[in-house]
Protein backbone atom coordinates (compact mmCIF):
# COMPACT_ATOMS: atom_id res chain seq x y z
CA UNK A 1 0.00 0.00 0.00
CA UNK A 2 1.46 3.33 -1.02
CA UNK A 3 0.04 5.69 1.54
CA UNK A 4 1.51 9.18 1.98
CA UNK A 5 2.98 9.75 5.43
CA UNK A 6 1.48 13.24 5.66
CA UNK A 7 -2.20 13.87 5.12
CA UNK A 8 -4.84 16.48 5.78
CA UNK A 9 -7.50 15.92 8.46
CA UNK A 10 -10.97 17.42 8.08
CA UNK A 11 -12.64 16.76 11.42
CA UNK A 12 -14.68 19.77 12.57
CA UNK A 13 -14.17 21.70 9.34
CA UNK A 14 -17.63 23.08 8.59
CA UNK A 15 -19.20 22.07 5.28
CA UNK A 16 -19.04 25.65 4.00
CA UNK A 17 -15.23 25.74 4.42
CA UNK A 18 -14.36 22.18 3.46
CA UNK A 19 -14.06 22.54 -0.30
CA UNK A 20 -11.76 25.57 0.09
CA UNK A 21 -9.63 23.93 2.77
CA UNK A 22 -9.20 20.63 0.94
CA UNK A 23 -8.39 22.42 -2.33
CA UNK A 24 -5.85 24.62 -0.54
CA UNK A 25 -4.32 21.58 1.13
CA UNK A 26 -3.97 19.83 -2.24
CA UNK A 27 -2.47 22.98 -3.80
CA UNK A 28 0.06 23.06 -0.97
CA UNK A 29 1.10 19.49 -1.74
CA UNK A 30 -1.05 17.27 0.49
CA UNK A 31 -1.92 14.06 -1.31
CA UNK A 32 -3.85 12.25 1.43
CA UNK A 33 -7.22 13.54 2.62
CA UNK A 34 -9.00 12.09 5.66
CA UNK A 35 -12.73 12.51 6.15
CA UNK A 36 -15.53 10.48 7.77
CA UNK A 37 -19.27 10.07 7.61
CA UNK A 38 -19.35 11.65 11.04
CA UNK A 39 -17.61 14.87 9.90
CA UNK A 40 -20.53 15.69 7.66
CA UNK A 41 -18.22 16.97 4.92
CA UNK A 42 -17.69 13.99 2.62
CA UNK A 43 -19.61 15.63 -0.23
CA UNK A 44 -17.51 18.81 -0.11
CA UNK A 45 -14.32 16.77 0.17
CA UNK A 46 -15.40 14.87 -2.95
CA UNK A 47 -15.98 18.14 -4.86
CA UNK A 48 -12.50 19.39 -3.95
CA UNK A 49 -10.88 16.10 -5.02
CA UNK A 50 -12.81 16.02 -8.31
CA UNK A 51 -12.16 19.63 -9.20
CA UNK A 52 -8.63 20.29 -7.90
CA UNK A 53 -6.93 19.55 -11.20
CA UNK A 54 -4.63 16.89 -9.76
CA UNK A 55 -4.94 13.42 -11.30
CA UNK A 56 -7.14 11.18 -9.21
CA UNK A 57 -4.49 8.45 -8.99
CA UNK A 58 -2.07 10.92 -7.37
CA UNK A 59 -4.47 11.49 -4.47
CA UNK A 60 -5.27 9.15 -1.58
CA UNK A 61 -8.77 9.69 -0.20
CA UNK A 62 -9.94 7.97 2.93
CA UNK A 63 -13.21 8.02 4.81
CA UNK A 64 -14.80 6.13 7.68
CA UNK A 65 -18.02 4.26 8.32
CA UNK A 66 -19.49 5.45 11.56
CA UNK A 67 -22.99 4.10 11.61
CA UNK A 68 -23.23 0.85 13.59
CA UNK A 69 -23.98 -1.86 11.05
CA UNK A 70 -25.43 -5.07 12.42
CA UNK A 71 -25.73 -6.80 9.05
CA UNK A 72 -23.55 -7.06 5.96
CA UNK A 73 -26.28 -5.37 3.91
CA UNK A 74 -26.52 -2.45 6.36
CA UNK A 75 -22.77 -1.91 6.02
CA UNK A 76 -22.94 -2.12 2.22
CA UNK A 77 -25.73 0.47 2.27
CA UNK A 78 -23.77 2.70 4.61
CA UNK A 79 -20.73 2.50 2.34
CA UNK A 80 -22.86 3.45 -0.65
CA UNK A 81 -24.11 6.54 1.16
CA UNK A 82 -20.51 7.76 1.45
CA UNK A 83 -19.73 6.67 -2.09
CA UNK A 84 -22.75 8.54 -3.49
CA UNK A 85 -21.91 11.67 -1.50
CA UNK A 86 -18.27 11.76 -2.58
CA UNK A 87 -18.96 10.98 -6.26
CA UNK A 88 -15.50 9.52 -6.85
CA UNK A 89 -14.81 6.50 -9.07
CA UNK A 90 -13.26 4.77 -6.06
CA UNK A 91 -12.22 5.46 -2.49
CA UNK A 92 -8.62 4.68 -1.60
CA UNK A 93 -9.17 3.58 1.97
CA UNK A 94 -12.34 2.87 3.92
CA UNK A 95 -12.05 2.53 7.69
CA UNK A 96 -14.41 1.34 10.40
CA UNK A 97 -14.41 4.49 12.55
CA UNK A 98 -14.49 2.65 15.87
CA UNK A 99 -15.68 -0.72 17.13
CA UNK A 100 -19.31 -0.32 18.00
CA UNK A 101 -20.80 -3.74 17.38
CA UNK A 102 -21.25 -5.51 14.08
CA UNK A 103 -17.55 -5.28 13.21
CA UNK A 104 -17.48 -8.75 11.62
CA UNK A 105 -20.50 -7.99 9.41
CA UNK A 106 -19.10 -4.56 8.51
CA UNK A 107 -15.76 -6.10 7.62
CA UNK A 108 -17.38 -8.73 5.40
CA UNK A 109 -19.15 -5.92 3.58
CA UNK A 110 -15.88 -4.01 3.13
CA UNK A 111 -14.18 -7.13 1.76
CA UNK A 112 -17.02 -7.52 -0.79
CA UNK A 113 -16.80 -3.87 -1.79
CA UNK A 114 -13.03 -4.11 -2.15
CA UNK A 115 -13.43 -7.16 -4.43
CA UNK A 116 -15.57 -5.13 -6.85
CA UNK A 117 -13.04 -2.30 -6.82
CA UNK A 118 -15.05 0.54 -5.30
CA UNK A 119 -12.52 0.76 -2.51
CA UNK A 120 -8.81 -0.01 -2.90
CA UNK A 121 -7.87 -0.69 0.72
CA UNK A 122 -9.73 -1.42 3.94
CA UNK A 123 -8.74 -0.69 7.50
CA UNK A 124 -9.89 0.25 10.98
CA UNK A 125 -9.66 3.04 13.53
CA UNK A 126 -9.59 2.89 17.32
CA UNK A 127 -9.19 -0.88 17.35
CA UNK A 128 -7.19 -2.06 20.35
CA UNK A 129 -5.92 -5.62 20.91
CA UNK A 130 -9.22 -7.06 22.16
CA UNK A 131 -11.30 -5.94 19.19
CA UNK A 132 -8.41 -6.30 16.76
CA UNK A 133 -7.96 -9.95 17.79
CA UNK A 134 -11.68 -10.70 17.57
CA UNK A 135 -11.96 -9.16 14.11
CA UNK A 136 -8.86 -10.82 12.72
CA UNK A 137 -10.09 -14.29 13.66
CA UNK A 138 -12.65 -14.24 10.89
CA UNK A 139 -11.27 -12.02 8.13
CA UNK A 140 -10.07 -12.93 4.66
CA UNK A 141 -8.27 -9.61 4.21
CA UNK A 142 -6.45 -8.17 7.22
CA UNK A 143 -6.90 -4.44 7.99
CA UNK A 144 -3.99 -2.62 6.37
CA UNK A 145 -4.06 0.39 8.70
CA UNK A 146 -5.25 1.30 12.19
CA UNK A 147 -5.89 5.00 12.83
CA UNK A 148 -5.41 5.73 16.54
CA UNK A 149 -4.89 8.68 18.85
CA UNK A 150 -1.14 9.35 18.87
CA UNK A 151 0.95 12.42 19.63
CA UNK A 152 4.01 13.47 21.62
CA UNK A 153 2.09 13.27 24.90
CA UNK A 154 0.47 9.93 24.13
CA UNK A 155 2.95 8.01 22.05
CA UNK A 156 1.18 4.64 22.08
CA UNK A 157 4.37 2.57 22.21
CA UNK A 158 2.75 -0.75 23.27
CA UNK A 159 0.03 -0.34 20.69
CA UNK A 160 2.53 0.52 17.96
CA UNK A 161 4.57 -2.57 18.79
CA UNK A 162 1.39 -4.63 18.67
CA UNK A 163 0.46 -3.24 15.26
CA UNK A 164 4.00 -3.74 13.92
CA UNK A 165 3.77 -7.44 14.84
CA UNK A 166 0.44 -7.56 13.00
CA UNK A 167 2.16 -5.93 10.01
CA UNK A 168 -0.37 -3.10 10.07
CA UNK A 169 0.42 0.57 9.49
CA UNK A 170 -0.37 3.06 12.24
CA UNK A 171 -1.86 6.44 11.40
CA UNK A 172 -2.02 9.09 14.11
CA UNK A 173 -5.26 10.95 14.68
CA UNK A 174 -4.86 14.25 16.49
CA UNK A 175 -1.12 14.22 15.82
CA UNK A 176 -1.03 17.71 17.36
CA UNK A 177 -3.20 16.64 20.27
CA UNK A 178 -5.76 19.14 18.96
CA UNK A 179 -3.50 21.86 20.39
CA UNK A 180 -4.14 20.73 23.99
CA UNK A 181 -1.63 20.24 26.82
CA UNK A 182 0.10 23.44 25.64
CA UNK A 183 1.83 21.50 22.87
CA UNK A 184 2.70 24.60 20.84
CA UNK A 185 4.43 26.33 23.78
CA UNK A 186 6.11 23.26 25.25
CA UNK A 187 9.68 24.31 26.08
CA UNK A 188 11.38 21.06 25.07
CA UNK A 189 9.63 20.96 21.71
CA UNK A 190 10.23 24.66 21.04
CA UNK A 191 13.93 24.44 21.89
CA UNK A 192 14.37 21.51 19.55
CA UNK A 193 12.45 23.47 16.92
CA UNK A 194 14.74 26.53 17.22
CA UNK A 195 17.78 24.34 16.56
CA UNK A 196 16.22 23.38 13.22
CA UNK A 197 14.39 26.69 12.53
CA UNK A 198 11.11 24.83 12.82
CA UNK A 199 7.98 25.42 14.88
CA UNK A 200 6.73 23.25 17.72
CA UNK A 201 4.00 21.89 15.44
CA UNK A 202 6.59 20.84 12.87
CA UNK A 203 8.73 19.10 15.50
CA UNK A 204 5.72 17.29 16.97
CA UNK A 205 4.71 16.00 13.52
CA UNK A 206 8.26 15.19 12.46
CA UNK A 207 8.68 13.09 15.61
CA UNK A 208 5.86 10.80 14.43
CA UNK A 209 6.71 10.74 10.73
CA UNK A 210 10.36 9.93 11.51
CA UNK A 211 9.09 6.72 13.13
CA UNK A 212 7.02 5.77 10.07
CA UNK A 213 3.71 6.89 11.58
CA UNK A 214 1.34 8.58 9.14
CA UNK A 215 -0.05 11.93 10.36
CA UNK A 216 -3.20 13.81 9.36
CA UNK A 217 -3.07 17.26 11.00
CA UNK A 218 -6.02 19.59 10.46
CA UNK A 219 -6.03 23.36 10.01
CA UNK A 220 -8.19 25.91 8.23
CA UNK A 221 -5.27 28.36 8.22
CA UNK A 222 -3.16 28.11 5.03
CA UNK A 223 0.00 29.18 6.91
CA UNK A 224 -0.45 26.30 9.32
CA UNK A 225 -1.34 23.88 6.52
CA UNK A 226 1.90 24.87 4.82
CA UNK A 227 3.90 24.55 8.02
CA UNK A 228 2.51 21.10 8.78
CA UNK A 229 3.58 19.60 5.48
CA UNK A 230 7.02 21.21 5.49
CA UNK A 231 8.63 18.63 7.75
CA UNK A 232 10.62 16.46 5.41
CA UNK A 233 13.72 18.66 5.15
CA UNK A 234 15.11 18.09 8.64
CA UNK A 235 15.97 15.13 10.84
CA UNK A 236 15.67 14.96 14.62
CA UNK A 237 18.80 13.56 16.25
CA UNK A 238 18.57 10.51 18.52
CA UNK A 239 19.12 12.81 21.51
CA UNK A 240 16.20 15.03 20.39
CA UNK A 241 14.01 11.99 19.78
CA UNK A 242 14.79 10.78 23.31
CA UNK A 243 13.91 14.16 24.82
CA UNK A 244 10.54 14.01 23.06
CA UNK A 245 10.07 10.34 24.03
CA UNK A 246 10.35 11.52 27.64
CA UNK A 247 7.25 13.74 27.17
CA UNK A 248 5.00 10.67 26.86
CA UNK A 249 2.39 10.61 29.62
CA UNK A 250 1.09 7.20 28.52
CA UNK A 251 -2.44 8.62 28.69
CA UNK A 252 -5.01 9.72 26.20
CA UNK A 253 -6.22 13.24 26.80
CA UNK A 254 -9.72 11.78 26.72
CA UNK A 255 -9.03 9.17 29.40
CA UNK A 256 -9.58 6.52 26.74
CA UNK A 257 -6.77 4.03 27.28
CA UNK A 258 -8.33 1.76 29.87
CA UNK A 259 -11.64 1.61 28.04
CA UNK A 260 -9.92 1.38 24.72
CA UNK A 261 -7.82 -1.62 25.71
CA UNK A 262 -10.96 -3.35 26.95
CA UNK A 263 -12.86 -2.69 23.71
P1 LIG B 1 -4.99 18.04 15.36
O1 LIG B 1 -4.12 17.31 16.32
O2 LIG B 1 -4.71 17.96 13.91
O3 LIG B 1 -4.99 19.56 15.83
C1 LIG B 1 -5.79 20.51 15.18
C2 LIG B 1 -5.72 21.82 15.94
O4 LIG B 1 -4.41 22.35 15.89
C3 LIG B 1 -6.65 22.86 15.32
O5 LIG B 1 -7.16 23.67 16.34
C4 LIG B 1 -5.69 23.64 14.42
O6 LIG B 1 -6.16 24.95 14.21
C5 LIG B 1 -4.43 23.62 15.23
N1 LIG B 1 -3.22 23.68 14.38
C6 LIG B 1 -2.98 22.91 13.30
N2 LIG B 1 -1.75 23.19 12.80
C7 LIG B 1 -1.22 24.16 13.57
C8 LIG B 1 0.00 24.83 13.55
N3 LIG B 1 0.95 24.59 12.63
N4 LIG B 1 0.23 25.78 14.51
C9 LIG B 1 -0.71 26.04 15.45
N5 LIG B 1 -1.92 25.44 15.51
C10 LIG B 1 -2.16 24.47 14.58
O7 LIG B 1 -6.52 17.62 15.70
P2 LIG B 1 -7.69 16.95 14.87
O8 LIG B 1 -8.09 17.70 13.69
O9 LIG B 1 -8.75 16.63 15.83
O10 LIG B 1 -7.03 15.57 14.38
C11 LIG B 1 -6.48 15.44 13.07
C12 LIG B 1 -7.37 14.60 12.18
O11 LIG B 1 -7.46 13.26 12.70
C13 LIG B 1 -8.84 15.06 12.18
O12 LIG B 1 -9.01 16.23 11.43
C14 LIG B 1 -9.50 13.83 11.63
O13 LIG B 1 -9.33 13.78 10.23
C15 LIG B 1 -8.74 12.72 12.35
N6 LIG B 1 -9.37 12.25 13.61
C16 LIG B 1 -9.80 10.95 13.66
C17 LIG B 1 -10.36 10.44 14.82
C18 LIG B 1 -10.80 9.01 14.87
O14 LIG B 1 -11.49 8.60 15.82
N7 LIG B 1 -10.44 8.21 13.90
C19 LIG B 1 -10.51 11.25 15.96
C20 LIG B 1 -10.06 12.57 15.89
C21 LIG B 1 -9.48 13.05 14.72
Amino acid sequence: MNIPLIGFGTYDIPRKNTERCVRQAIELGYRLIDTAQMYNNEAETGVAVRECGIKREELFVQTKLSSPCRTVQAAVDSFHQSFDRMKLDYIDLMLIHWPQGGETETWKALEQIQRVGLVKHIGVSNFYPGKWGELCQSVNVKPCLNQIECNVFYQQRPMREYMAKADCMVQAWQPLGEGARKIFSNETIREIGSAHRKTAAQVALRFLVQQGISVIPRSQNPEHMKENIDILDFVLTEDEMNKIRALDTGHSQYGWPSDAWRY
Side-chain angles (χ1 to χ4, degrees):
M1 183 178 55
N2 211 358
I3 171 159
L5 273 179
I6 310 171
F8 183 68
T10 64
Y11 165 68
D12 214 25
I13 301 188
R15 294 180 70 174
K16 64 178 169 47
N17 297 351
T18 301
E19 189 190 334
R20 170 187 63 81
C21 287
V22 173
R23 282 180 84 124
Q24 267 171 346
I26 294 171
E27 270 163 35
L28 289 167
Y30 288 82
R31 291 295 175 262
L32 183 163
I33 309 295
D34 179 73
T35 180
Q37 293 180 337
M38 203 194 127
Y39 305 165
N40 199 25
N41 56 20
E42 285 179 312
E44 294 74 12
T45 299
V47 174
V49 168
R50 292 197 309 275
E51 295 183 4
C52 66
I54 297 291
K55 283 191 198 144
R56 177 66 187 90
E57 59 270 28
E58 288 178 23
L59 299 171
F60 192 96
V61 183
Q62 53 183 58
T63 187
K64 315 181 195 80
L65 290 179
S66 49
S67 40
C69 301
R70 304 282 167 184
T71 63
V72 174
Q73 190 55 49
V76 169
D77 292 347
S78 179
F79 168 83
H80 276 282
Q81 285 172 12
S82 287
F83 195 69
D84 292 349
R85 273 193 289 272
M86 298 186 84
K87 297 188 171 51
L88 301 174
D89 291 340
Y90 61 90
I91 289 168
D92 292 275
L93 172 62
M94 195 80 201
L95 303 173
I96 301 180
H97 206 148
W98 63 85
Q100 52 187 336
E103 292 85 55
T104 309
E105 291 74 14
T106 306
W107 194 258
K108 280 203 174 86
L110 291 183
E111 287 180 347
Q112 278 180 18
I113 294 161
Q114 186 184 33
R115 277 198 294 277
V116 296
L118 298 185
V119 64
K120 301 269 183 203
H121 306 283
I122 52 181
V124 294
S125 178
N126 300 306
F127 272 58
Y128 284 82
K131 277 295 174 191
W132 175 275
E134 266 175 39
L135 180 70
C136 289
Q137 274 176 1
S138 57
V139 299
N140 291 315
V141 179
K142 267 197 166 183
C144 65
L145 178 145
N146 193 358
Q147 188 185 103
I148 54 173
E149 181 183 2
C150 186
N151 59 62
V152 290
F153 299 128
Y154 184 35
Q155 296 177 18
Q156 294 266 30
R157 272 177 276 196
M159 192 54 203
R160 286 196 279 121
E161 279 166 24
Y162 186 88
M163 295 322 306
K165 282 192 194 130
D167 197 22
C168 176
M169 186 169 187
V170 169
Q171 186 172 67
W173 63 251
Q174 289 196 353
L176 296 171
E178 218 187 0
R181 300 184 187 182
K182 301 199 168 124
I183 189 170
F184 302 125
S185 55
N186 179 280
E187 222 168 279
T188 305
I189 304 176
R190 282 175 68 109
E191 264 176 31
I192 293 172
S194 339
H196 295 277
R197 295 172 185 267
K198 293 287 176 181
T199 65
Q202 289 172 312
V203 171
L205 295 171
R206 175 73 209 187
F207 174 73
L208 300 176
V209 164
Q210 199 162 311
Q211 299 174 88
I213 305 167
S214 168
V215 295
I216 45 170
R218 175 236 332 171
S219 177
Q220 296 188 54
N221 172 338
E223 286 306 312
H224 288 165
M225 288 182 197
K226 201 168 163 189
E227 203 177 299
N228 295 345
I229 199 174
D230 183 21
I231 57 169
L232 296 178
D233 61 349
F234 74 113
V235 178
L236 296 169
T237 65
E238 201 43 32
D239 182 47
E240 291 167 337
M241 292 294 281
N242 284 334
K243 284 185 181 153
I244 303 174
R245 285 188 183 110
L247 299 177
D248 191 7
T249 64
H251 295 288
S252 153
Q253 60 172 317
Y254 303 101
W256 276 17
S258 52
D259 288 346
W261 282 77
R262 279 203 300 270
Y263 269 157

